[in-house]
Amino acid sequence: MRVDELLSVLDEAAPAALAEDWDNIGLMVGRRSGESPGVLVALDLRAGVVAEARERGWGIILTHHPLVFPALASVTPATSAGGLALEAAEAGIAVIAAHTNLDAAPGGLNDVMAAALGLESADPLAPALSNPAAGLGRIGTLASPEALGTLAARAEALWPSGVRLTGDPERPVERLALCTGSGASLIDAAREMDADAYMTCDLKYHDADRAEGMPLVGLDHAAVEGALLAEWAESLRGRLAQEGCEVAVAARSTSPWSVPVPR
């Protein structure tokens, strides 16, 4: 598959117009005319991911988090991002990012997350101006109310990493808001839309105060998005199989955080 062909497929699945203004998506490294028999999907670009692509003999890596964000001052080994860009370029590997456009798109990561939790009639928490059916976050109803603690335990079972919560664990939750990735900026939107609880990643200490009593369920960024990206990659695999192109999810974890050391 040619790089420009994959870019067209991605723009159908996750239009570039859905990306946030501050984001950087699309082709990060390489030529649009480059070709590859397969696409390696990873949450981040790391040295191990580049090595895996080279081992497979593949020339395209699709990441969720952009390698170049917001910019690179130079493409040299002086920085990790510059070194990775240089390594990929020298190996003839194109690097593409699908970030907030993939989060926001119908069928994208937020919809995958909503489906995993059994959310019904899920609508965007922050609808996109260009497409009200798309946007960041989702809000909907659970099939039946469940206790906040039970919901948190279910999230831990789906994405093991040490889920945290605020509020009474026995409090019933029916209307749930969620956002994959770092979604603290949507706390106000979730509260204003009368969510019984809001579930997202990378929550900070004082976010609990900002929630003004709305329970929060805090998840691990890499655990959630890594799993959601792997599930979404199945749909990409089905689409590219028609073109004779393979798709695989990188075997190596790209999270910079380790599992907590046992006491």
Side-chain angles (χ1 to χ4, degrees):
M1 167 163 276
R2 284 171 54 105
V3 171
D4 55 5
E5 292 173 335
L6 177 59
L7 290 169
S8 294
V9 170
L10 291 174
D11 201 46
E12 291 178 6
L18 294 178
E20 295 295 297
D21 293 340
W22 48 261
D23 202 5
N24 187 24
I25 63 166
L27 185 61
M28 307 273 112
V29 177
R31 301 179 187 276
R32 297 179 66 90
S33 59
E35 296 188 23
S36 174
V39 177
L40 186 62
V41 179
L43 187 60
D44 309 275
L45 190 70
R46 307 288 190 211
V49 175
V50 176
E52 186 173 342
R54 296 182 71 167
E55 290 164 7
R56 290 175 175 272
W58 291 0
I60 301 177
I61 296 174
L62 171 63
T63 68
H64 184 47
H65 298 146
L67 170 66
V68 180
F69 183 81
L72 280 177
S74 61
V75 183
T76 73
T79 63
S80 57
L84 286 168
L86 183 60
E87 184 178 353
E90 289 176 337
I93 297 173
V95 179
I96 299 170
H99 192 209
T100 52
N101 54 321
L102 183 56
D103 290 334
L109 298 196
N110 276 295
D111 276 338
V112 175
M113 185 177 181
L117 290 165
L119 212 59
E120 299 178 343
S121 303
D123 295 315
L125 191 55
L129 294 177
S130 61
N131 181 2
L136 297 181
R138 294 293 183 268
I139 185 165
T141 57
L142 297 169
S144 58
E146 63 183 313
L148 176 64
T150 302
L151 175 64
R154 200 152 59 83
E156 173 66 23
L158 286 168
W159 309 296
S161 58
V163 172
R164 303 179 300 163
L165 61 86
T166 67
D168 180 2
E170 299 301 320
R171 178 170 174 168
V173 176
E174 182 175 12
R175 185 167 170 80
L176 175 66
L178 58 83
C179 184
T180 183
S182 301
S185 63
L186 297 181
I187 287 175
D188 292 343
R191 191 181 66 252
E192 289 166 5
M193 295 183 74
D194 296 322
D196 295 324
Y198 179 47
M199 181 181 294
T200 191
C201 308
D202 295 340
L203 292 172
K204 297 180 180 180
Y205 185 92
H206 291 293
D207 288 332
D209 296 322
R210 289 179 50 218
E212 295 289 351
M214 178 183 65
L216 300 176
V217 180
L219 310 175
D220 178 79
H221 196 134
V224 173
E225 286 200 327
L228 299 179
L229 186 65
E231 188 169 343
W232 174 83
E234 288 299 318
S235 63
L236 182 66
R237 179 180 287 112
R239 170 65 179 81
L240 298 192
Q242 304 170 26
E243 312 296 332
C245 181
E246 296 182 67
V247 173
V249 176
R252 298 166 174 84
S253 171
T254 65
S255 176
W257 298 97
S258 299
V259 174
V261 177
R263 293 182 180 178

